[in-house]
Amino acid sequence: MNKEELMNLLPHRDNMLLLDDAENKDGTAIGHYTVRGDEFFLKGHFPGNPIVPGVILCEILAQSACVLMKEVITPENIPVYTGLNNVKFRSSVKPGDTIETQCRIKRAKHPFYFGEGTVTVDGRLCVSAEFSFAITGA
C-alpha cells in the first residue's frame, strides 16, 4: 500500500501518518518510513543529536500492523492501542535512516487483536515489542 492507500485505511493525517508504504506479506505486515530530519518529534529530541523517540517507533509499528486488520477497520471502527509489553529499545534511529517494521497478529478475539513486531534499520534491530489493539467506534 502506498501513502494514499494507507490514508484510506488509517485515520492518521498530516505529521502523524508515519508510514511511506506497507504491505501484508503472507500474514506479516512490512512497513517502511524514511526519517527526513524535519519531523516535529525531532525538534527537541535532541537538539544537535536528533534521535527518533521510542514512542514514535512504537507508533510506526502499530500503524504498519493495521494492514493486517484492514477488513475490520472502517471510518467508524478504528484501531487504538490497548497495551505495549516487553518493549526493548536496542539501537537508535536517526535522520536519513529507513525504518522497516515487521509484525504479525498472534491471536485475535474481535474487537481485540494481539501482535508482536520489530523495527529495524539496515537489518539492525532497533525495537522489539508485543502489543494489543481494540477496534473501537469513532
Side-chain angles (χ1 to χ4, degrees):
M1 300 178 96
N2 62 30
K3 201 149 195 151
E4 183 177 321
E5 292 167 320
L6 287 165
M7 288 177 68
N8 290 328
L9 174 66
L10 298 171
H12 305 79
R13 292 295 178 266
D14 302 322
N15 55 9
M16 279 308 296
L17 181 59
L18 298 169
L19 285 174
D20 295 326
D21 62 72
E23 67 177 318
N24 179 346
K25 193 170 191 174
D26 301 321
T28 298
I30 300 171
H32 298 98
Y33 179 74
T34 298
V35 183
R36 299 178 316 274
D38 63 350
E39 289 88 351
F40 74 94
F41 50 80
L42 292 175
K43 290 181 180 163
H45 199 267
F46 300 99
N49 185 27
I51 297 171
V52 178
V55 68
I56 295 294
L57 296 173
C58 291
E59 177 63 23
I60 293 169
L61 190 63
Q63 289 183 22
S64 67
C66 288
V67 302
L68 301 173
M69 299 177 287
K70 72 179 189 177
E71 288 77 28
V72 296
I73 296 173
T74 67
E76 297 79 30
N77 296 297
I78 61 172
V80 295
Y81 257 140
T82 56
L84 279 166
N85 298 305
N86 300 316
V87 180
K88 306 281 188 213
F89 299 103
R90 304 288 186 192
S91 187
S92 60
V93 177
K94 297 182 169 271
D97 287 344
T98 297
I99 294 165
E100 180 174 286
T101 62
Q102 290 195 21
C103 49
R104 62 186 188 90
I105 301 300
K106 293 175 16 180
R107 63 187 171 92
K109 183 169 177 160
H110 188 74
F112 299 103
Y113 294 79
F114 303 87
E116 64 185 3
T118 59
V119 173
T120 60
V121 172
D122 293 327
R124 171 177 42 92
L125 181 62
C126 300
V127 180
S128 60
E130 298 171 352
F131 46 84
S132 57
F133 299 96
I135 305 298
T136 64

